[in-house]
Amino acid sequence: MDITLDEDQAMILRSAQEFAREALTPARIRALEADDNGFDARTWRRMADLGWAGVVFPERYGGTGLGMFELGLIVEALGQGAVPSPLFSTVVEAGLLLLEAGSEAQRAHWLPRIAAGGAILTTALLEPGGALGSAQVRACAQRAGAGFRLSGTKLFVRDAGAAAAIICLARSGAAADDLTWFMIPADAPGLARRRLQAAGGESLWEVTFADVAVPADAVVGAVGAGWPLAERLLLRGAALKAAELVGIGQASLDLTLEYARTRVQFGVPIGSFQGVQHHCTEMYRDLTVCRLLAWQACARLGAGRDGLREAAMAKAKASEAIPALTRTAHQIHGAVAYYRDYPLELYYHRAIAAAAAYGDAGHQRRALAGLMRGDLARFQGEHRHDLPVHQG
Amino acid sequence: MDFDLTPDEAAFRAEVRAFLTRELTPEVWREHRDLGEQGMWTPAFTKAFRRKLGAAGYIGMGWPREYGGGGRSRVYQAIFWDEMEYFRAPGLDRSITYVPNALLALGTEQQKQSLLPRVMRGELSWFVGYSEPEAGSDLAGLKAAAVEDPATGDFIITGQKSFSSDAHMADYGWVAVRTDPAMSRHRGISLFIVDMTLPGVQITKYPTLAGWTHHAVYFDQVRVPRSMMVGELNEGWRVVMGAIDFERAALASYGLVGFQLDRLLAWCGAERADGTRKLDDPLVQDELVRLAIEGEGTRLMTYWLASLHARGLMPQHETSLALLVKRETARRFDVAGLEMLGPFGPLRAGSPWAELEGDVEVEYRDRLYFQFAAGGFDITRNVVAQRGLGLPR
Ligand SMILES: Cc1cc2nc3c(=O)[nH]c(=O)nc-3n(C[C@H](O)[C@H](O)[C@H](O)COP(=O)(O)OP(=O)(O)OC[C@H]3O[C@@H](n4cnc5c(N)ncnc54)[C@H](O)[C@@H]3O)c2cc1C
């Protein structure tokens, strides 16, 4: 057991933090929030040049062959710098879905393009019901000749405006879990996109499919086998959003400590007041716990192991603790950070956007409760004890 | 980054589990548990058990081999503490954790040679004499004093120590006293190892709300040789601070929380007289899941701290933080456990219809001290903010 970063990992985190610090000015980040794409194309290309867009892909697809854990460190750093990017839509969602389930032709075509920063892709999963369950998927793909015709409404589709193609989960038969992923070019006739205005400038979209023609080779994975893939996509998203929340929390804490040391009231720095000190310790405490949980979740998924317990715990904790942390950060800043040109507000908004993604705290706790009742040993995890015999 | 135990660490954990399972049978539990004692075991059994720990090589496993130690990394120590706490085993206290660790780091060669082998065999019990009626969190206000006898070089100690855990069963005291009242408060303190059989040592008893008896120690002209001073004369504050770091690390162990979680899960999963299970109540499920997440955070903190030590990274405020998380989480479990027991919660050990042997109610009382003693919540928040986060005093 060694719960510390090794040399290489520490290097990756440091260089990603350096990149994130200087990549975009706060003014530019704010401008991007109003932009339809929501990210800066040049910055994304630079990230791809650093190998980050392909960090989880094997080398034969243009990747660097590192893992989810390293990706988690990069995501944490980007969260810390509030750098918007299509990393989640393109790499975490679509890229890893294709890597896991795509045909060789799909992988060979798309993954090198993603890794090079040339292709933006996304996935479409959630619907107006809002909940993350297979029963919520109403979008429907009817067989039509060799292919399908797809109709339905998808919400919260990340970066749909910039995406070349959207991989959409739809019902492909009558059985409850008969769901299939279809890859559809964004300019397909019958496909329409509408931007949602979300906190933190998250580039979330409504995508409607009105009888869109889908050829047979657009299926990703096997027909009817879509839900298990969706579950794993959500798990990866949850673990990595937990890592992003850690970065958001770190930035908020750093700003707060700096302010507490320098802001003088009553003739002394406010950081010398015990009420302020205790707030800061609690922020740091929660952040540290969230970081360890997120690291663990990413490490497990990266090793290809069952990570439902670990990812759900990490995301459940971070989704509550980090937004709360940003509220405390504002408490300590007072009025100055209520104004938009103070950088803290970036994190205040991003925290709630990240908390809502890939299963909010309640969703994760529900998943854990299911595990607790259905498979207690898995719920307790691999480090569990057995109650001593004397505990009758 | 590796969240798994190595095969050797896993084998060690299995060995410790087997040892504790073998030693702490239901018969032993019935015969030697004693809620009138702070450690919840009879003093005689605690002492005998500590010798078994010594014989099994579990004391001093992390010390250098030149002092008979096992030279094992902090991860092994964390595993051992974890298992001991989980089993609620006797003897995991200052006598084998932080006092000898501090002695190892700060004692003279002669002290180490004469005392550490006996510590390692599990022969010695210690009490720590810091607190006094007027010196609690502000320990530098301590008044018990030692005056040098110029004729012999001995020191003569007079004064009172309070809240002296396990003083009644101690062979030695680890006692902070004032040796130069003219110096500033943090200077002019020295630390002595005091043989508790010396004339002039007197122990009194105070019943606690937890049901066990606490002690206070009076020193009346107790003559201690200079060779029993730890560290330099008037530099005892540094010894105290060094020892406190070891203390917090030893206390910041996960096992207790893991036990609380598993016990609660088992209790909630069991069928009740009316055929229902607590676990089927969605509110209970949500609370258990929340507790399990906090428990997992505590476990990771414990092993993160051990990893930092094992890598030689010398954690400081991180130790206080880990202790804060552990104790806050344990208290959360205490409260949640009591609430889940509902009307059975307040039933005391030994009462008809008491659930879980009344342990939850006992612990709810007992662990109240987590909030304010030795790394109490508020003092720890100060320490982390000032030492860890660089906020001004
Ligand atoms: C079960 C138990 C076992 C103990 N065992 C030992 C032992 O073996 N040896 C020994 O020497 N001592 C022992 N103690 C004493 C323990 O170390 C003290 O309780 C501790 O130092 C706090 O002192 P106090 O209780 O007098 O509280 P006080 O210092 O009087 O504090 C009272 C309250 O004020 C708060 N407070 C004080 N100063 C500050 C501050 N600067 N900022 C914020 N809040 C503050 C405290 O957190 C606390 O809540 C034990 C105590 C208990 C309860």
Side-chain angles (χ1 to χ4, degrees):
Chain A
M1 167 125 31
D2 178 13
I3 308 184
T4 60
L5 299 179
D6 67 28
E7 294 283 303
D8 291 344
Q9 291 162 344
M11 252 276 283
I12 289 174
L13 180 61
R14 247 193 332 271
S15 54
Q17 282 170 333
E18 273 161 31
F19 174 89
R21 223 183 349 259
E22 53 74 56
L24 299 166
T25 63
R28 176 76 181 125
I29 293 173
R30 259 177 227 115
L32 285 168
E33 290 186 359
D35 179 88
D36 246 2
N37 274 353
F39 63 90
D40 177 59
R42 216 176 50 88
T43 303
W44 175 237
R45 209 165 272 282
R46 282 179 59 209
M47 288 165 63
D49 290 345
L50 288 164
W52 297 351
V55 75
V56 278
F57 301 155
E59 284 169 24
R60 68 177 185 284
Y61 297 123
T64 43
L66 292 167
M68 273 280 287
F69 186 80
E70 285 72 16
L71 180 57
L73 297 176
I74 292 166
V75 165
E76 177 181 328
L78 295 173
Q80 197 173 342
V83 178
S85 84
L87 193 67
F88 273 92
S89 59
T90 303
V91 179
V92 179
E93 296 180 15
L96 286 173
L97 177 62
L98 288 170
L99 181 66
E100 185 180 359
S103 66
E104 187 47 39
Q106 286 166 337
R107 286 192 250 177
H109 179 80
W110 289 108
L111 298 184
R113 286 175 170 75
I114 292 174
I120 307 294
L121 298 179
T122 189
T123 69
L125 175 56
L126 273 170
E127 298 197 7
L132 287 171
S134 57
Q136 308 287 327
V137 180
R138 300 273 173 84
C140 189
Q142 304 272 0
R143 292 246 176 218
F148 297 81
R149 299 196 77 85
L150 179 67
S151 291
T153 300
K154 293 288 179 181
L155 294 184
F156 313 110
V157 182
R158 232 165 258 285
D159 299 320
I166 297 168
I167 312 179
C168 175
L169 186 67
R171 206 152 273 297
S172 44
D177 270 4
D178 193 338
L179 301 172
T180 304
W181 289 98
F182 299 95
M183 190 164 193
I184 300 155
D187 57 4
L191 187 156
R193 295 171 281 184
R194 196 153 61 122
R195 174 81 190 258
L196 313 175
Q197 275 79 44
E202 286 268 284
S203 177
L204 299 178
W205 296 70
E206 173 206 71
V207 180
T208 51
F209 300 86
D211 202 27
V212 174
V214 183
D217 67 357
V219 170
V220 176
V223 173
W227 187 247
L229 292 172
E231 285 184 321
R232 284 196 289 279
L233 181 157
L234 289 169
L235 219 53
R236 291 189 287 263
L240 289 164
K241 273 290 163 186
E244 182 182 311
L245 281 160
V246 169
I248 290 169
Q250 184 69 58
S252 306
L253 177 61
D254 289 346
L255 285 168
T256 302
L257 292 175
E258 178 60 25
Y259 194 71
R261 285 187 207 110
T262 50
R263 168 70 170 172
V264 173
Q265 287 291 284
F266 301 99
V268 292
I270 57 168
S272 63
F273 298 129
Q274 197 166 59
V276 171
Q277 292 191 351
H278 287 196
H279 278 317
C280 290
T281 295
E282 282 166 20
M283 292 166 74
Y284 175 58
R285 173 199 64 196
D286 290 348
L287 177 63
T288 306
V289 168
C290 286
R291 174 173 280 125
L292 292 170
L293 287 167
W295 278 356
Q296 173 173 253
C298 291
R300 277 194 78 89
L301 293 179
R305 290 158 72 176
D306 164 44
L308 172 58
R309 168 183 184 273
E310 288 73 18
M313 283 186 167
K315 183 62 169 44
K317 175 74 183 174
S319 296
E320 283 191 347
I322 301 300
L325 184 156
T326 66
R327 294 193 292 272
T328 309
H330 274 281
Q331 171 76 18
I332 294 170
H333 277 82
V336 69
Y338 199 68
Y339 293 95
R340 268 216 86 182
D341 59 1
Y342 197 91
L344 188 59
E345 64 96 22
L346 293 174
Y347 302 102
Y348 187 67
H349 300 301
R350 276 163 174 69
I352 61 168
Y358 308 109
D360 57 18
H363 172 84
Q364 305 299 346
R365 287 204 303 277
R366 218 171 287 116
L368 287 165
L371 209 52
M372 178 173 71
R373 298 171 72 203
D375 189 347
L376 185 62
R378 209 171 137 212
F379 175 73
Q380 290 172 306
E382 284 173 19
H383 291 275
R384 70 184 165 275
H385 291 75
D386 292 317
L387 279 178
V389 279
H390 62 63
Q391 186 60 44
Chain B
M1 184 65 61
D2 186 358
F3 287 88
D4 296 320
L5 298 178
T6 64
D8 194 60
E9 288 162 354
F12 175 72
R13 182 172 68 177
E15 176 206 306
V16 175
R17 284 182 182 179
F19 171 87
L20 292 170
T21 304
R22 200 166 56 238
E23 293 296 334
L24 299 176
T25 62
E27 296 73 48
V28 165
W29 193 261
R30 267 195 303 279
E31 202 171 321
H32 301 290
R33 278 290 271 185
D34 183 351
L35 298 186
E37 289 292 330
Q38 184 170 1
M40 307 275 172
W41 295 90
T42 64
F45 186 73
T46 298
K47 290 191 170 196
F49 193 79
R50 200 180 281 133
R51 284 171 193 264
K52 285 190 176 174
L53 294 178
Y58 294 145
I59 304 177
M61 74 179 85
W63 304 346
R65 293 187 194 281
E66 50 177 313
Y67 296 106
R72 287 180 130 154
S73 91
R74 275 297 277 269
V75 174
Y76 288 83
Q77 288 186 61
I79 291 170
F80 174 66
W81 293 339
D82 188 343
E83 297 300 325
M84 286 283 286
E85 276 199 1
Y86 189 89
F87 278 79
R88 297 188 290 168
L92 181 70
D93 60 31
R94 68 203 85 73
S95 298
I96 66 169
T97 60
Y98 63 92
V99 167
N101 260 312
L103 192 61
L104 182 71
L106 308 160
T108 65
E109 199 51 41
Q110 192 219 329
Q111 289 161 356
K112 288 192 251 189
Q113 296 292 354
S114 70
L115 290 168
L116 288 182
R118 297 173 65 198
V119 166
M120 237 171 303
R121 289 196 296 270
E123 291 172 9
L124 295 185
S125 292
W126 295 76
F127 105 90
V128 168
Y130 294 159
S131 304
E132 299 179 4
E134 287 174 51
S137 307
D138 186 14
L139 183 58
L142 64 84
K143 294 209 175 85
V147 181
E148 189 171 3
D149 174 358
T152 59
D154 292 345
F155 283 81
I156 318 290
I157 300 181
T158 299
Q160 180 191 352
K161 291 294 169 183
S162 49
F163 312 114
S164 311
S165 299
D166 293 334
H168 65 314
M169 55 190 280
D171 302 295
Y172 288 103
W174 175 269
V175 183
V177 290
R178 194 157 292 288
T179 37
D180 188 345
M183 293 175 114
S184 70
R185 299 168 79 236
H186 291 88
R187 307 222 34 229
I189 292 172
S190 302
L191 199 127
F192 287 94
I193 296 169
V194 182
D195 181 341
M196 294 296 279
T197 62
L198 286 172
V201 176
Q202 197 205 329
I203 299 173
T204 56
K205 296 180 181 184
Y206 295 90
T208 67
L209 65 78
W212 46 266
T213 304
H214 216 179
H215 300 90
V217 180
Y218 293 84
F219 298 96
D220 183 12
Q221 310 271 328
V222 177
R223 180 175 287 269
V224 181
R226 193 187 181 100
S227 62
M228 291 306 240
M229 188 164 70
V230 181
E232 301 290 311
L233 181 66
N234 296 327
E235 295 290 334
W237 188 254
R238 288 179 46 207
V239 179
V240 170
M241 287 301 115
I244 278 178
D245 265 355
F246 290 118
E247 176 177 10
R248 293 191 175 147
L251 295 172
S253 179
Y254 165 67
L256 168 62
V257 168
F259 170 72
Q260 287 177 291
L261 173 63
D262 289 355
R263 180 178 58 185
L264 212 48
L265 284 171
W267 188 79
C268 289
E271 203 166 287
R272 306 193 52 73
D274 61 359
T276 63
R277 297 190 314 162
K278 274 276 174 190
L279 197 59
D280 294 323
D281 176 348
L283 284 182
V284 170
Q285 288 166 23
D286 193 55
E287 181 64 6
L288 285 173
V289 165
R290 284 177 181 275
L291 290 167
I293 295 170
E294 299 306 315
E296 184 72 351
T298 307
R299 187 180 71 79
L300 292 173
M301 290 289 284
T302 294
Y303 284 96
W304 170 60
L305 195 68
S307 302
L308 292 174
H309 275 293
R311 289 269 302 259
L313 294 172
M314 300 298 280
Q316 307 255 319
H317 71 277
E318 291 90 341
T319 309
S320 296
L321 190 70
L323 179 57
L324 181 66
V325 167
K326 182 263 182 78
R327 285 186 157 185
E328 284 182 335
T329 308
R331 280 311 269 168
R332 226 181 125 170
F333 270 95
D334 288 339
V335 174
L338 203 62
E339 280 176 3
M340 282 188 198
L341 286 166
F344 298 93
L347 291 186
R348 293 207 147 154
S351 166
W353 292 97
E355 293 275 354
L356 295 169
E357 302 174 44
D359 274 349
V360 175
E361 193 272 339
V362 170
E363 292 162 13
Y364 178 78
R365 276 184 280 152
D366 177 44
R367 284 197 286 262
L368 186 55
Y369 78 85
F370 272 20
Q371 299 175 202
F372 49 80
F377 292 174
D378 295 332
I379 296 295
T380 303
R381 282 176 170 79
N382 297 349
V383 167
V384 173
Q386 290 163 12
R387 283 211 270 162
L389 303 178
L391 293 178
R393 269 170 206 278

